[in-house]
Amino acid sequence: QVHLVESGGGLVQAGGSLRLSCAASGSVFPINTMGWYRQAPGKQRELVATITSGGTTNHADSVKGRFTISRDNAQNTVYLQMNSLKPEDTAVYYCAADQVSKGSVIESWGQGTLVTVSS
């Protein structure tokens, strides 16, 4: 298990931008895939974007072209650049990381950071 701490959330007007960061620490096993999820009030948690240790990315259709996930392996940090924000992007954003230890997958989650997009 790795400790994940998100930062960068806040209040922004529609059309604005925010940059989320997730710093990983205390990792015993190598981190493979990291990702961002979000959960809006009354809705299920959904995948926003993922990135592998090799840099392969995947973005949900709802954010494609607006959000960009990136990773700094040297600093064990993953970022989510959010542009052209919409009110429907309002949610708690969670950072997640997957580790593999002798064939077993270990999943870690941050506590989340709130992003509020006003109309």
Side-chain angles (χ1 to χ4, degrees):
Q1 188 176 11
V2 62
H3 182 60
L4 303 174
V5 179
E6 304 98 333
S7 63
L11 175 64
V12 65
Q13 293 184 354
S17 299
L18 283 175
R19 181 179 172 88
L20 304 183
S21 298
C22 174
S25 63
S27 179
V28 177
F29 306 102
I31 299 173
N32 185 14
T33 302
M34 299 188 73
W36 289 96
Y37 292 75
R38 67 184 182 185
Q39 186 168 25
K43 296 184 178 180
Q44 296 182 345
R45 184 176 298 185
E46 65 175 348
L47 175 67
V48 177
T50 60
I51 184 169
T52 68
S53 59
T56 301
T57 62
N58 181 57
H59 297 80
D61 290 339
S62 60
V63 305
K64 195 171 298 182
R66 300 188 298 119
F67 293 7
T68 303
I69 190 171
S70 61
R71 182 170 178 171
D72 186 339
N73 290 330
Q75 297 184 180
N76 290 322
T77 304
V78 64
Y79 306 94
L80 184 67
Q81 179 65 48
M82 304 184 295
N83 299 323
S84 301
L85 283 162
K86 305 175 181 179
E88 50 262 44
D89 294 321
T90 296
V92 176
Y93 284 72
Y94 297 91
C95 177
D98 288 335
Q99 299 169 284
V100 179
S101 176
K102 298 180 180 180
S104 180
V105 178
I106 303 172
E107 188 174 70
S108 300
W109 293 86
Q111 68 269 47
T113 185
L114 178 62
V115 172
T116 303
V117 184
S118 62
S119 301

